[in-house]
Amino acid sequence: MKHSFELKLKNQIKPSAILYKCYLNGTRFTYGVGLNIFPELWDEVSQRPTKKKEIIKEYKKEVPDIETRLNNLKIQIENICIGVDTFSLMPDYKMQKSI
């Protein structure tokens, strides 16, 4: 299953909500995952928090544990992918697909 993450509002100076998108049973599914990030700290290509040291360094002055927070955010995003994949493999879900 292809998992897609994007920011709700990409051009703002305050944190933006992260949206999750995928197709379940041929239907587009969009979900606000309850996570926020500053758009500057989001990597559009990898659809994950940035790994660019120069950007992280700027935020580290105000948020000393920014690297830990970004890593935790990345783990939460990966857990969403794992959870959706697990759900889509469940027998009840497969039965619904054939109805």
Side-chain angles (χ1 to χ4, degrees), residues 4-92:
S4 175
F5 292 89
E6 64 182 49
L7 299 184
K8 184 174 183 178
L9 301 170
K10 299 172 186 161
N11 299 320
Q12 64 178 23
I13 57 172
K14 60 184 183 177
S16 176
I18 299 173
L19 300 176
Y20 170 72
K21 295 182 180 187
C22 71
Y23 284 87
L24 290 172
N25 196 15
T27 302
R28 183 176 162 182
F29 176 74
T30 301
Y31 178 70
V33 298
L35 303 171
N36 296 296
I37 189 169
F38 283 98
E40 190 175 20
L41 291 170
W42 184 253
D43 183 340
E44 294 273 335
V45 176
S46 70
Q47 299 177 2
R48 301 292 187 273
T50 188
K51 294 180 181 179
K52 294 180 180 177
K53 298 289 183 189
E54 62 276 3
I55 295 174
I56 295 171
K57 188 177 180 179
E58 290 177 32
Y59 281 83
K60 198 166 186 156
K61 295 170 189 169
E62 289 188 40
V63 186
D65 64 341
I66 189 70
E67 291 163 320
T68 301
R69 290 183 184 200
L70 292 175
N71 189 51
N72 289 343
L73 189 59
K74 181 180 178 280
I75 290 168
Q76 289 175 299
I77 289 171
E78 294 303 324
N79 287 341
I80 291 167
C81 295
I82 291 167
V84 172
D85 284 341
T86 301
F87 172 78
S88 69
L89 296 174
M90 292 173 60
D92 289 344

